[in-house]
Amino acid sequence: MAIIEEILANKNFEHMTNQSLLQNEFSSIYATDLISMVIKHGDKSPILMTQITADATLAVAVMLSLPAIILTENKVLNNDLINRANDEGIAIIKTPLTSVEAISLLTRMNIL
């Protein structure tokens, strides 16, 4: 298991939620822009990596008790969803990178 804080060692990733969530643990990343696929294929404690900033993204993360969401290509959640993510204990991270670039970087960082 890794922790969210390890991802933030790289300047391409920016944490958007409470600092207390930096200790959330994760085992993998599941990258998709089809939120329903996370329900079918998300394994234990994955981070969801997506561009989708809809309410459903956070709702699925809450339903599956995901530790974090990484929003790619500088996508951001609105303040209401950020506040809800804080309440639900889900870290939100944004990056200017594409999903492929972010996964490649995290692999080079030995996080994945």
Side-chain angles (χ1 to χ4, degrees):
M1 288 267 192
I3 60 171
I4 301 301
E5 188 171 44
E6 294 174 52
I7 294 171
L8 301 173
N10 187 284
K11 65 181 177 175
N12 285 296
F13 298 96
E14 181 181 349
H15 186 237
M16 308 300 294
T17 45
N18 291 337
Q19 296 296 310
S20 63
L21 302 177
L22 294 177
Q23 298 306 307
N24 286 4
E25 294 182 335
F26 67 97
S27 61
S28 63
I29 290 180
Y30 191 85
T32 186
D33 288 331
L34 295 172
I35 300 304
S36 62
M37 295 303 289
V38 179
I39 296 168
K40 288 178 70 174
H41 299 290
D43 61 351
K44 294 181 181 177
S45 299
I47 290 175
L48 170 58
M49 184 177 289
T50 187
Q51 291 184 21
I52 306 301
T53 60
D55 293 356
T57 303
L58 185 58
V60 167
V62 169
M63 181 177 72
L64 297 176
S65 299
L66 302 182
I69 298 169
I70 296 176
L71 297 169
T72 58
E73 299 185 35
N74 276 328
K75 303 293 183 185
V76 293
L77 294 179
N78 65 47
N79 286 335
D80 289 340
L81 289 177
I82 293 287
N83 290 334
R84 182 167 172 220
N86 281 323
D87 292 343
E88 296 290 349
I90 298 171
I92 305 295
I93 299 167
K94 75 172 185 173
T95 180
L97 303 174
T98 66
S99 293
V100 171
E101 292 167 335
I103 289 170
S104 177
L105 176 57
L106 292 171
T107 300
R108 289 192 310 272
M109 292 171 64
N110 293 319
I111 293 174
L112 297 179

